[in-house]
Amino acid sequence: MGSKIIGLGMFAPPKTLTNDELEKLVDTNDEWITTRTGIRERHIAPPGTANSDLCLEASRRALADAGIDASDLDIVIVGTVTPDMPLPATACFLQMKLGAGRAFALDLNAACSGFMYSLSVADALIRAGRGRKALVVGAEMLSSITDYTDRSTCILFGDGAGAAVLSECDNGDGVLSCHLHSDGSLWELIRCTGGGTVNPYGPETVQNRLNFIRMAGNETFKHAVTRMVEVSHEALSRNGVTIDDVDLFVPHQANMRIISAVGKRLGVPDEKVFVNLERYGNTSAASIPIALAEAREQGRLSSGDLLLMVAFGGGLTWGSALVRM
Ligand code: ACO
């Protein structure tokens, strides 16, 4: 018994932050941002929003797309680094708001690889017989940990959520394989060090701006390209297929230059690479499920298609999945 994707949905808050607006906050300009990243705008949740509110909208759409009710779910997983609060899990809030009373719910922190990790865990739980239907969400409110005085990061990040419904599948299609990797020795490259046990919340944490995300962008860039290519090859060779067999390639939407470099090294033609980061920026764990929902909406992801997804993020973490839709 394996699992297959039977529903997709996404949600991004309506308000956008454009490159022109960022020019008024920090010393940057539209030309620098578009040529270095490909990003033109990102969506920002209004004050008073909880991450689980974004999850809820995306999940409702995914459940409607799947044609099932929240009460049919056995498993709810939310991949995120921006939970509603440290305790309880955002997935528990989502379970409550959805009315998924039968499901068990958990959060998973793998930064930008959060959806890849969550998909892999949900697939493994279904294969192990721990449930028949899972809701897998990648959702972030990165605006809550973005320092809008730091031009090297505030131009990158946005808010949003994407969701996929997985159901058991016994015909060998669906999720063909997932491949996950981490390297904790490089944790400092992407970090938000305030608010945990090392630097608990307090005036000093805020004074030293430890509650914001920091990134060594250039170094991260090099690791991202190498690892995303490697783990894509791993998925292809495990399944005895080549990149030519892939109908749609959905990489994590962090930077257009990373996507282009990975696509070029893998030999994927541009028309098979899904890109929407110009409108969302980097939404971390949400980027791949948002892309999947949009790809489906645009008719670029149909039943029978072979889909290759690949992500890379803080941890460091990276992963891929090959899926027959
Ligand atoms: N506007 C204008 N100038 C800027 C800006 C800005 N917004 N930001 C940095 N600069 C300047 C720098 O100060 C530097 O100036 P200097 O040469 O005078 O010192 C110059 O531009 C070049 O800076 P770099 O950091 O070398 O620029 P780079 O080409 O590497 O682009 C970027 C930076 C966009 C961050 C890129 O490195 C990147 O995308 N990295 C990977 C991000 C990623 O993949 N993250 C993974 C997931 S994130 C997660 O897990 C949450």
Side-chain angles (χ1 to χ4, degrees):
M1 188 63 70
S3 76
K4 65 178 175 185
I5 296 174
I6 61 164
L8 291 166
M10 58 80 60
F11 176 75
K15 188 185 175 308
T16 56
L17 179 63
T18 63
N19 291 351
D20 289 345
E21 287 168 311
L22 280 165
E23 279 183 27
K24 294 176 192 121
L25 297 177
V26 288
D27 180 15
T28 190
N29 56 74
D30 176 57
E31 202 261 334
W32 193 97
I33 302 172
T34 45
T35 52
R36 296 286 180 131
T37 71
I39 301 166
R40 295 187 182 279
E41 61 182 13
R42 25 348 249 137
H43 291 249
I44 305 292
T49 310
N51 186 337
S52 58
D53 297 329
L54 307 186
C55 294
L56 182 64
E57 287 304 321
S59 300
R60 280 186 176 146
R61 292 172 192 192
L63 288 168
D65 186 41
I68 68 161
D69 194 76
S71 59
D72 297 324
L73 293 169
D74 304 299
I75 304 162
V76 174
I77 304 181
V78 175
T80 191
V81 293
T82 47
D84 283 13
M85 46 184 84
L87 178 74
T90 301
C92 290
F93 284 117
L94 176 60
Q95 179 212 20
M96 174 185 71
K97 290 177 182 180
L98 271 177
R102 242 165 30 85
F104 61 89
L106 63 132
D107 283 4
L108 202 155
N109 177 334
C112 299
S113 310
F115 183 75
M116 286 291 84
Y117 270 61
S118 300
L119 182 79
S120 178
V121 169
D123 174 63
L125 285 168
I126 290 174
R127 283 176 196 273
R130 301 299 304 275
R132 301 166 76 162
K133 288 195 168 49
L135 176 66
V136 184
V137 184
E140 302 286 8
M141 275 181 55
L142 290 176
S143 60
S144 67
I145 58 167
T146 295
D147 182 349
Y148 288 99
T149 66
D150 174 10
R151 70 175 182 173
S152 70
T153 55
C154 74
I155 55 148
L156 300 172
F157 300 121
D159 301 339
V165 179
L166 287 195
S167 177
E168 60 183 359
C169 158
D170 60 6
N171 68 358
D173 280 349
V175 179
L176 302 178
S177 68
C178 298
H179 308 272
L180 306 180
H181 299 277
S182 314
D183 184 353
S185 71
L186 294 170
W187 69 271
E188 279 181 292
L189 293 185
I190 309 167
R191 63 194 189 278
C192 176
T193 57
T197 52
V198 174
N199 301 300
Y201 287 114
E204 232 170 85
T205 310
V206 176
Q207 211 169 2
N208 296 325
R209 305 181 81 75
L210 301 183
N211 50 319
F212 294 123
I213 193 165
R214 303 289 171 211
M215 181 167 67
N218 215 289
E219 195 62 13
T220 302
F221 190 110
K222 292 175 208 153
H223 288 288
V225 174
T226 310
R227 297 309 196 181
M228 287 168 83
V229 170
E230 252 173 37
V231 79
S232 297
H233 279 307
E234 193 180 344
L236 296 173
S237 65
R238 173 72 61 87
N239 292 282
V241 296
T242 71
I243 199 68
D244 297 336
D245 298 312
V246 170
D247 296 295
L248 191 68
F249 178 56
V250 179
H252 169 49
Q253 309 284 307
N255 183 312
M256 194 55 220
R257 288 185 296 142
I258 295 178
I259 294 173
S260 301
V262 171
K264 200 169 162 199
R265 287 197 199 178
L266 287 173
V268 201
D270 287 350
E271 61 274 17
K272 285 189 180 180
V273 183
F274 191 84
V275 177
N276 65 2
L277 95 163
E278 72 281 1
R279 287 177 288 118
Y280 297 105
N282 181 348
T283 57
S284 188
S287 95
I288 288 183
I290 288 176
L292 294 181
E294 285 207 331
R296 249 282 304 280
E297 189 78 22
Q298 294 169 15
R300 293 185 61 186
L301 193 56
S302 308
S303 183
D305 280 355
L306 191 61
L307 162 71
L308 176 62
M309 299 174 259
V310 62
F312 178 89
L316 297 178
T317 57
W318 61 101
S320 64
L322 196 69
V323 175
R324 178 71 66 189
M325 293 298 290

